[in-house]
Amino acid sequence: MDSVVLIYKGIYILAIFGISLLIATYSTYFERKIAAFIQDRVGPNRAGPMGLLQPLADAGKLFFKEEFIPANANKTLFILGPGIAMLVAAMTSAVIPFGDTLILGETSFDLIAIDVNIGILYIFAVVSLGVYGLMIGGWASNNKFSLLGAIRAASQNISYELAMGLSLIAVLMLSGSLSLKVIAEQQAGFNWNIWYQPLGFLIFLICAFAETNRTPFDLPESEAELIGGYHTEYSSMKLGMYLFAEYINIFVVSAVMATLYFGAYNFPFMENLRNAFDDPVLGNNVVTILGVGVMFAKIFAFIFFFMWVRWTLPRFRYDQLMKLGWNILIPLAILNILLTGGGILLYDYFTQG
Amino acid sequence: MTLSERMYLPAIAQGLGITLKHFFKKKATINYPEETRSRSEIWRGLHVLKRDENGAERCTACGLCAVACPAEAITMTAGERKKGEEHLYREEKYAVTYEVNMLRCIFCGLCEEACPKAAIFLQDDKLAPARYERDEFIYGKDRLVEPLKTTETK
Ligand code: SF4
Ligand code: SF4
């Protein structure tokens, strides 16, 4: 790798990190705004114009709160918990293709931090690590409510990861690759996976809600039963990091869904637009930049959907949650794999036979 | 339950539709200090001690308002008007101190009805605002007496 590419990658990774932090910060603001709008209120509007400085005020407040560690807590692990949650959340966005290729002069820049050929496996591996953050934090608090919340989080995440992985296999059967970049490229134009995988998408979406601990599956922190769940004993910025990690996870999961099912940075008629320019380099760059915008529009739409659902649905009961995961989603996901396999065979039979 | 009911998804879509409708609805919020809800014309708000047409205080410290008050929110001490104070107090006897405890007051308006001198009224456009200390709710004459008409100070 020559130094230009190395420097570019460094800058790009920093930028992606900054963007995910920024989006997570402002997710808290939009969460409150959307909650308010759905409940016929106006939401935070005092800090800055339209309340836009509210996230800064919230973060400032969290920083000034007392840093409290319970007397009998395991101190190292207690501090490690939110750290892991945050680190893991921030790591996942590395393999997501936010755009196609920019061509500047002689060099072309891929708008993806690291194009590993096992991108989607990497995301799954790292996201599953996130459960350690919750588990360690909940256990180290030495509080039965925290522990119960952590156990709930762990069992819920593990159960839903299965269905999520199975629903994903159908996509991988279509694409024949684990690399997110390849999956994105195959959905050029309007050839999105959602048209082939509506059932798979539905399963993935439901699992995504469960994986990010969002309503209707926010049982690990259900206030009525568990006070605050695994973060009951946390205060100050350690609590802030847990909450922050949740929003980064939402961002990443939205990005993954947009990439896997909604064509990532692809949009209809992009080939026509590319050919409309005489200069192929210029055409490519215009389409790429537009594609980045499209990608973020899709991500924001998903984030909005997450919040919209949160303020619409009540929480599931724990046995309902487990039943949905094991008895309904997993068989459905397997059925989906069979259907996809059958579809592929039929397609091959008719096109080649 | 039928199959479509057991799938929950139609019901969820319906619910999402309802919340989306509310999302675009006109908001019920009133930004309080900047905007206020319109009040009835006979709203009983913060007390005021009136002056007469010459700017002299009308109250004669007869104590009828304090007697009428069901919450015992009013206390006063009476004093005799000195020579040369005729422009300040209308009657020979006047209230040296006059206090209404807004934490006790229930804003019933009985003081207003009891007053023979038409001196105390509850305003329809002012409320007793929130404060940090309890003793700040005891309103003395400095905050109760109607300010002098600006025509006189000109
Ligand atoms: S309004 Fe009623 S409670 Fe208040 S001071 Fe007057 S008489 Fe007393
Ligand atoms: S306000 Fe009216 S009723 Fe009360 S002491 Fe003064 S004159 Fe009497």
Side-chain angles (χ1 to χ4, degrees):
Chain A
M1 232 189 262
D2 57 277
S3 57
V4 178
V5 175
L6 219 55
I7 292 171
Y8 159 71
K9 286 288 183 205
I11 294 174
Y12 183 77
I13 289 172
L14 276 185
I16 287 296
F17 185 57
I19 288 174
S20 26
L21 288 190
L22 188 75
I23 288 179
T25 318
Y26 271 89
S27 291
T28 64
Y29 168 76
F30 282 107
E31 172 104 82
R32 292 171 68 177
K33 271 286 185 200
I34 287 168
F37 271 54
I38 283 176
Q39 296 166 355
D40 291 343
R41 301 182 281 117
V42 293
N45 63 350
R46 295 282 152 170
M50 288 162 58
L52 275 174
L53 298 180
Q54 189 67 41
L56 295 185
D58 288 345
K61 187 199 91 172
L62 279 175
F63 269 116
F64 283 116
K65 288 242 163 171
E66 186 189 351
E67 191 88 20
F68 183 78
I69 297 182
N72 290 324
N74 185 325
K75 214 171 156 191
T76 328
L77 292 182
F78 190 77
I79 295 172
L80 201 62
I84 292 182
M86 186 77 183
L87 175 79
V88 160
M91 263 165 69
T92 32
S93 48
V95 292
I96 291 167
F98 287 99
D100 208 346
T101 318
L102 266 184
I103 302 174
L104 293 180
E106 295 294 289
T107 22
S108 59
F109 299 98
D110 280 350
L111 291 183
I112 178 170
I114 26 174
D115 181 19
V116 282
N117 53 6
I118 49 152
I120 192 70
L121 268 191
Y122 168 86
I123 288 191
F124 264 68
V126 174
V127 165
S128 347
L129 282 180
V131 94
Y132 284 96
L134 312 188
M135 194 68 210
I136 287 176
W139 181 82
S141 308
N142 197 11
N143 171 329
K144 51 178 170 281
F145 292 111
S146 305
L147 184 62
L148 279 174
I151 291 174
R152 278 188 176 192
S155 54
Q156 171 179 331
N157 282 19
I158 290 168
S159 312
Y160 277 77
E161 240 156 50
L162 279 176
M164 200 178 197
L166 286 178
S167 71
L168 194 71
I169 287 180
V171 174
L172 300 182
M173 283 161 71
L174 281 179
S175 69
S177 166
L178 283 166
S179 155
L180 283 170
K181 191 157 174 60
V182 174
I183 295 178
E185 275 162 5
Q186 284 177 348
Q187 306 178 57
F190 212 39
N191 190 22
W192 297 353
N193 276 341
I194 175 77
W195 312 130
Y196 309 112
Q197 290 291 332
L199 182 62
F201 170 67
L202 198 65
I203 297 169
F204 195 91
L205 183 72
I206 295 172
C207 296
F209 275 94
E211 284 288 298
T212 47
N213 295 333
R214 293 285 297 187
T215 326
F217 305 113
D218 59 345
L219 288 145
E221 42 196 288
S222 64
E223 298 85 357
E225 303 138 37
L226 290 179
I227 316 177
Y230 56 87
H231 55 55
T232 303
E233 296 285 359
Y234 281 89
S235 62
S236 185
M237 209 51 208
K238 291 209 287 297
L239 173 66
M241 274 158 90
Y242 268 133
L243 304 182
F244 216 66
E246 180 183 325
Y247 284 102
I248 300 183
N249 278 333
I250 293 172
F251 166 66
V252 169
V253 152
S254 302
V256 170
M257 281 196 288
T259 313
L260 288 181
Y261 291 98
F262 280 84
Y265 45 78
N266 296 302
F267 51 95
F269 308 116
M270 58 192 282
E271 283 314 310
N272 307 25
L273 184 65
R274 196 194 302 267
N275 297 334
F277 290 90
D278 297 332
D279 182 4
V281 173
L282 181 68
N284 175 64
N285 285 354
V286 167
V287 168
T288 302
I289 289 169
L290 265 181
V292 173
V294 167
M295 177 73 179
F296 274 96
K298 286 169 186 169
I299 293 175
F300 291 146
F302 273 117
I303 293 180
F304 175 78
F305 185 72
F306 267 85
M307 293 174 180
W308 183 16
V309 166
R310 168 160 182 191
W311 299 104
T312 303
L313 297 183
R315 186 181 289 136
F316 273 65
R317 221 170 45 212
Y318 205 73
D319 61 317
Q320 291 172 331
L321 171 99
M322 280 299 161
K323 221 170 159 184
L324 178 70
W326 288 99
N327 289 0
I328 301 177
L329 290 184
I330 291 183
L332 265 186
I334 294 175
L335 179 73
N336 188 42
I337 294 177
L338 291 180
L339 287 179
T340 313
I344 293 174
L345 282 183
L346 273 183
Y347 180 78
D348 286 351
Y349 179 75
F350 282 117
T351 47
Q352 290 162 10
Chain B
M1 284 198 288
T2 63
L3 183 68
S4 75
E5 271 173 359
R6 256 187 300 154
M7 268 168 54
Y8 292 117
L9 290 176
I12 288 175
Q14 200 186 356
L16 288 173
I18 291 173
T19 41
L20 193 67
K21 227 182 329 177
H22 279 271
F23 191 87
F24 293 110
K25 243 179 143 171
K26 200 177 159 296
K27 304 303 165 211
T29 306
I30 293 173
N31 289 309
Y32 170 57
E34 290 99 47
E35 299 165 28
T36 42
R37 201 183 287 275
S38 62
R39 297 197 195 95
S40 139
E41 275 172 34
I42 54 166
W43 175 270
R44 299 189 295 259
L46 199 63
H47 307 65
V48 65
L49 283 173
K50 286 290 202 186
R51 296 175 187 274
D52 68 2
E53 54 282 356
N54 302 322
E57 287 172 23
R58 303 181 77 113
C59 174
T60 182
C62 66
L64 285 178
C65 51
V67 171
C69 178
E72 302 197 349
I74 302 178
T75 50
M76 72 193 76
T77 46
E80 206 177 328
R81 184 179 70 187
K82 303 264 173 8
K83 254 209 155 41
E85 289 182 337
E86 285 83 358
H87 66 290
L88 287 178
Y89 311 110
R90 199 168 76 157
E91 313 288 340
E92 282 169 18
K93 181 172 160 241
Y94 73 99
V96 182
T97 63
Y98 188 104
E99 286 177 347
V100 181
N101 186 337
M102 295 299 167
L103 288 177
R104 302 199 61 139
C105 175
I106 56 171
F107 300 95
C108 62
L110 287 182
C111 47
E112 180 180 296
E113 271 174 49
C115 183
K117 297 289 179 188
I120 191 159
F121 286 97
L122 303 187
Q123 293 151 292
D124 64 5
D125 57 346
K126 276 206 191 104
L127 304 173
R131 293 185 183 280
Y132 288 110
E133 303 291 337
R134 292 178 81 87
D135 54 3
E136 288 175 7
F137 280 102
I138 299 173
Y139 277 53
K141 272 182 82 173
D142 51 333
R143 286 190 283 175
L144 285 174
V145 178
E146 185 184 32
L148 282 169
K149 294 260 158 37
T150 40
T151 44
E152 280 179 326
T153 48
K154 237 183 235 168

